[in-house]
């Protein structure tokens, strides 16, 4: 039986609830509801004007209602009198098809499987205006796992980790990542919807706690051109009850035929879903980046898979799972999971063969591979492939594809209206 939120408020000392939803661009929208009103909100939802957020709606549309999912309830560890709730969007008595959380739930229900995933969201801790990293002493050429730099940000990192411990997420490691000022925090994997909810809350939590310390947490894919970008790698497996369907001791690298079909579906559809996994103009400065100061970008630019080798888009680090290394920090938590699941299901349904794995260093020898597809060079290429692919309409539904592509094309057009300093420097005297 679903949690009664009014009772939960009394039992847990919650005074207010944040009824929150994530729009198509990954922005989190919320209303702050007093506990005395949560009973009605649990039944009917909190009302919003959909056009005022990044959804394909107009001012003439009916009220948008965000119905909270009681099972998603999280008390803010840094402000426990507030409870956060992920919500599903409804309009005119029907679920909104373009809403990211609704889309993921539809795909899960349709799949007949339970996809489990664990994510690795990387972030930078920067100054308030985002112009530089927050630690002026963090200057090493190879700063990954730098103990001194990690401990200089001990107060921020441990407050976030302690919060995850308090929430029961089972965090297991925190580290300084490959770029100066960059960090990664890992917690245990779980069902795709749970992971997406946690991912959405984690970004809100990391930003909020960083602000407490007069810093800024950014998940921007490439905030500094000379430094490694921020990825959001996903470790994926497919389950039937307690059985991991990707695990096969007799399979190559311990992965079942079903698992390879799933990987085949991802590889077949990567260019079509790239607009979801890498959704901003800045995303393509990460996946098509030149060598960084640390010596490697740690990001793919080709659609390949391998064993335990981090230079490929998909790696199989051990039996029963794979790591999808394409997604970046800007990825919408719900659309990242939906894209992986939809592409993988297409692979299973069509028994797609990923081909022979490549066991080479793609950063040094990738030029020798002539038969693999490249990732899109920019957001416009990704959007055009997304909206023109028959597979995306089958996987996600025409309403979602139309809404997402429309808003993303508007975003690209807004970007192209800007004149950059590079253009002035290089073409003023043409």
């Amino acid at each position: 039986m679903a949690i009664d939120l009014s009772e939960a408020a009394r039992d847990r000392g919650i005074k207010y609830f944040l009824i929150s939803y994530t729009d198509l661009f990954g922005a989190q929208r919320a209303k702050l509801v007093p506990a005395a009103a949560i009973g009605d909100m649990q039944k009917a939802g909190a009302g919003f004007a959909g056009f005022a957020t990044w959804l394909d709606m107009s001012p003439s549309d009916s009220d948008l209602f965000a119905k909270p999912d009681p099972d998603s309830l999280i008390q803010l560890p840094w402000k426990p009198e507030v409870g956060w709730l992920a919500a599903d969007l409804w309009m005119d008595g029907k679920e909104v098809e373009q809403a990211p959380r609704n889309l993921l739930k539809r795909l899960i229900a349709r799949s007949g499987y339970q996809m489990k995933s664990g994510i690795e969201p990387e972030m930078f801790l920067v100054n308030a205006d985002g112009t530089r990293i927050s630690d002026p002493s963090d200057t090493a050429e190879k700063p990954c796992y730098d103990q001194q730099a990690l401990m200089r940000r001990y107060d921020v990192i441990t407050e976030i980790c302690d919060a995850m411990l308090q929430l029961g997420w089972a965090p297991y490691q925190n580290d300084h990542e490959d770029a100066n000022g960059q960090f990664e925090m890992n917690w245990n994997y779980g069902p795709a919807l749970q992971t997406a909810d946690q991912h959405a809350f984690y970004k809100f939590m990391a930003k909020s706690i960083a602000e407490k310390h007069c810093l800024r947490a950014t998940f921007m894919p490439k905030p500094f051109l000379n430094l490694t970008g921020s990825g959001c790698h996903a470790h994926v497996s497919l389950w039937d009850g307690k059985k991991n369907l990707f695990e096969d001791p007799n399979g190559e690298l311990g992965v079942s035929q079903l698992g390879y079909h799933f990987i085949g579906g991802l590889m077949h559809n990567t260019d079509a879903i790239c607009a979801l996994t890498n959704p901003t103009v800045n995303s393509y400065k990460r996946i098509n980046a030149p060598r960084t100061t640390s010596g490697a970008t740690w990001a793919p630019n080709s659609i390949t898979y391998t064993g335990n080798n981090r230079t490929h888009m998909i790696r199989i680090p051990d039996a029963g799972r794979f790591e999808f290394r394409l997604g970046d920090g800007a990825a919408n938590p719900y659309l990242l999971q939906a894209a992986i699941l939809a592409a993988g299901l297409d692979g299973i349904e069509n028994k797609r063969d990923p081909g022979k794995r490549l066991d080479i260093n793609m950063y040094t020898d990738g030029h020798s591979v002539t038969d693999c597809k490249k990732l899109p060079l920019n957001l416009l290429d990704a959007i055009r492939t997304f909206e023109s692919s028959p597979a995306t309409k089958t996987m996600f539904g025409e309403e979602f594809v139309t809404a997402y592509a429309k808003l993303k094309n508007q975003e690209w057009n807004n970007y192209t209206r800007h004149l950059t300093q590079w253009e002035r420097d290089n073409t003023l005297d043409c």
Side-chain angles (χ1 to χ4, degrees):
M1 185 177 293
I3 297 169
D4 184 300
L5 293 174
S6 296
E7 289 183 8
R10 288 192 297 269
D11 294 344
R12 305 184 192 185
I14 297 174
K15 297 179 181 178
Y16 287 90
F17 290 88
L18 277 169
I19 298 180
S20 174
Y21 73 88
T22 302
D23 67 20
L24 284 170
F25 282 13
Q28 293 188 54
R29 313 291 181 163
K31 285 199 171 179
L32 188 62
V33 175
I38 196 61
D40 290 338
M41 295 289 179
Q42 183 169 1
K43 296 174 187 174
F48 293 80
F51 175 73
T53 71
W54 290 117
L55 294 167
D56 182 23
M57 295 179 179
S58 79
S60 66
D61 281 319
S62 304
D63 284 344
L64 180 72
F65 287 95
K67 294 186 179 181
D69 181 347
D71 292 332
S72 71
L73 175 61
I74 296 173
Q75 280 181 264
L76 307 192
W78 66 97
K79 199 179 288 291
E81 68 269 24
V82 178
W84 179 90
L85 290 157
D88 299 320
L89 297 184
W90 290 70
M91 182 182 282
D92 295 329
K94 298 183 295 185
E95 289 191 357
V96 176
E97 289 194 17
Q98 63 179 276
R101 194 173 194 267
N102 292 359
L103 173 65
L104 177 57
K105 289 177 70 176
R106 283 200 308 275
L107 284 166
I108 292 169
R110 192 182 81 196
S111 73
Y113 302 105
Q114 183 182 61
M115 186 177 89
K116 294 185 180 182
S117 65
I119 54 164
E120 299 174 344
E122 295 169 337
M123 66 176 178
F124 282 83
L125 291 176
V126 298
N127 64 335
D129 66 7
T131 56
R132 63 184 186 274
I133 63 170
S134 65
D135 180 2
S137 298
D138 189 351
T139 58
E141 182 178 348
K142 283 188 175 288
C144 203
Y145 316 123
D146 188 311
Q147 182 171 265
Q148 292 293 133
L150 176 63
M151 291 305 291
R152 283 195 296 270
R153 287 291 167 258
Y154 175 87
D155 290 345
V156 182
I157 299 300
T158 56
E159 186 171 348
I160 298 170
C161 188
D162 287 346
M164 289 193 284
L165 284 165
Q166 182 181 330
L167 296 173
W169 290 13
Y172 56 88
Q173 63 184 13
N174 312 291
D175 67 74
H176 189 296
E177 273 296 315
D178 192 62
N180 307 107
Q182 187 183 48
F183 299 87
E184 180 180 296
M185 308 180 71
N186 304 131
W187 67 92
N188 203 15
Y189 69 93
L193 182 63
Q194 175 185 297
T195 294
D197 285 340
Q198 290 175 343
H199 186 186
F201 184 81
Y202 171 78
K203 293 180 77 170
F204 166 55
M205 176 169 64
K207 292 174 183 178
S208 299
I209 291 175
E211 287 172 2
K212 280 182 57 182
H213 294 267
C214 300
L215 303 177
R216 186 172 184 173
T218 176
F219 295 87
M220 183 178 178
K222 190 75 167 173
F224 305 103
L225 282 175
N226 63 323
L227 300 179
T228 306
S230 288
C232 186
H233 306 154
H235 292 259
V236 181
S237 54
L238 205 63
W239 295 70
D240 182 6
K242 295 183 178 180
K243 181 177 175 57
N244 181 354
L245 299 175
F246 283 0
E247 192 164 22
D248 181 356
N250 299 315
E252 189 174 302
L253 299 180
V255 173
S256 67
Q257 188 65 57
L258 186 85
Y260 280 108
H261 287 325
F262 195 104
I263 291 172
L266 260 180
M267 294 181 64
H268 179 78
N269 292 293
T270 291
D271 49 356
I273 65 170
C274 205
L276 302 178
T277 59
N278 305 82
T280 69
V281 168
N282 183 255
S283 294
Y284 297 85
K285 289 182 167 61
R286 168 182 168 264
I287 60 177
N288 293 299
R291 178 174 169 165
T292 64
T293 56
S294 73
T297 65
W298 299 104
N301 61 19
S302 302
I303 301 174
T304 58
Y305 85 102
T306 187
N308 197 353
N309 176 339
R310 286 180 168 87
T311 66
H312 292 255
M313 186 185 77
I314 295 174
R315 75 169 179 131
I316 302 172
D318 52 40
R321 66 183 172 98
F322 67 84
E323 179 187 27
F324 183 63
R325 297 177 57 80
L326 178 58
D328 63 40
N332 184 310
Y334 299 97
L335 299 185
L336 175 62
Q337 300 296 325
I340 293 170
L341 178 57
L345 291 176
D346 172 76
I348 291 173
E349 290 164 5
N350 292 287
K351 293 184 168 52
R352 300 204 186 277
D353 182 0
K356 184 176 175 58
R357 76 171 192 269
L358 292 175
D359 293 326
I360 65 170
N361 183 338
M362 286 297 291
Y363 295 162
T364 58
D365 303 322
H367 63 277
S368 66
V369 183
T370 58
D371 59 348
C372 69
K373 290 191 294 183
K374 294 287 187 181
L375 292 166
L377 288 174
N378 54 55
L379 180 61
L380 181 61
D381 287 348
I383 297 166
R384 286 174 170 169
T385 305
F386 171 79
E387 65 181 330
S388 65
S389 168
T392 57
K393 295 178 178 65
T394 301
M395 292 189 291
F396 305 118
E398 190 158 352
E399 183 175 328
F400 171 81
V401 171
T402 299
Y404 188 80
K406 175 184 174 181
L407 294 180
K408 280 294 169 183
N409 274 309
Q410 289 176 6
E411 182 181 38
W412 175 264
N413 290 336
N414 288 338
Y415 164 69
T416 60
R417 293 189 185 102
H418 287 269
L419 183 67
T420 66
Q421 189 59 42
W422 185 94
E423 292 169 90
R424 296 186 63 83
D425 290 344
N426 287 273
T427 56
L428 198 62
D429 295 318
C430 63

